[in-house]
Amino acid sequence: QVLVVESGGGLVQAGGSLRLSCTTAGSIIRVSSVGWYRQAPGKQRELVSSITTGGITNYGDSVKGRFTSSRDNANNIVYLEMNSLKPEDTAVYYCKLTFTGRDYWGQGTQVTVSS
C-alpha cells in the first residue's frame, strides 16, 4: 500500500495564493505520474492538473494560467502552486499517484477561498 499525503490547504482571501504539497514515503513519487483533483460540495471530483514523470504538465481550463504543478524529486514532493484564487476554487484537493497501472489517493486537503 502506498501512503499519499497532501498538505498546504487552508483559508485564503480571493486573489491570494496557496501551495499544496503531495508526498509519499520513499521515492515512489519520482516514478509516478501525479494528478491533482478537487471536489466541491455537491459536485463531482474534477481533474485540476497532471504531471508526468518527465515533468510534462496539463491543466483544467478553469485553472490554466493560475495554477502550476511541479516536481521536487530530491525531496519526493509534487507541488500545486495556486495563484489568483477565486471563491469557486473552494474544494477538497486530492493528490493521485499512478504507478504500474494502479492509482493511489491521498486523504485530501481543504482549500477555502473567501470573497
Side-chain angles (χ1 to χ4, degrees):
Q1 186 67 19
V2 176
L3 180 62
V4 179
V5 179
E6 305 97 336
S7 62
L11 174 64
V12 64
Q13 288 189 329
S17 299
L18 284 174
R19 187 176 72 169
L20 305 184
S21 299
C22 176
T23 62
T24 62
S27 60
I28 191 173
I29 198 169
R30 301 183 192 178
V31 293
S32 302
S33 60
V34 176
W36 285 98
Y37 292 76
R38 67 186 181 188
Q39 188 166 19
K43 295 188 177 181
Q44 289 189 330
R45 193 171 295 190
E46 64 172 345
L47 176 66
V48 174
S49 75
S50 62
I51 185 166
T52 67
T53 54
I56 297 172
T57 54
N58 188 40
Y59 300 95
D61 288 341
S62 62
V63 305
K64 280 181 181 176
R66 300 188 298 122
F67 290 12
T68 303
S69 185
S70 62
R71 288 182 174 273
D72 178 357
N73 284 337
N75 292 297
N76 300 317
I77 302 172
V78 169
Y79 294 109
L80 182 67
E81 185 78 34
M82 306 186 296
N83 299 313
S84 302
L85 283 162
K86 304 174 182 179
E88 50 264 43
D89 294 319
T90 296
V92 178
Y93 284 70
Y94 298 90
C95 176
K96 184 189 79 172
L97 265 66
T98 300
F99 176 67
T100 62
R102 295 189 65 179
D103 294 335
Y104 302 92
W105 290 88
Q107 298 278 12
T109 185
Q110 176 71 45
V111 171
T112 303
V113 184
S114 63
S115 56

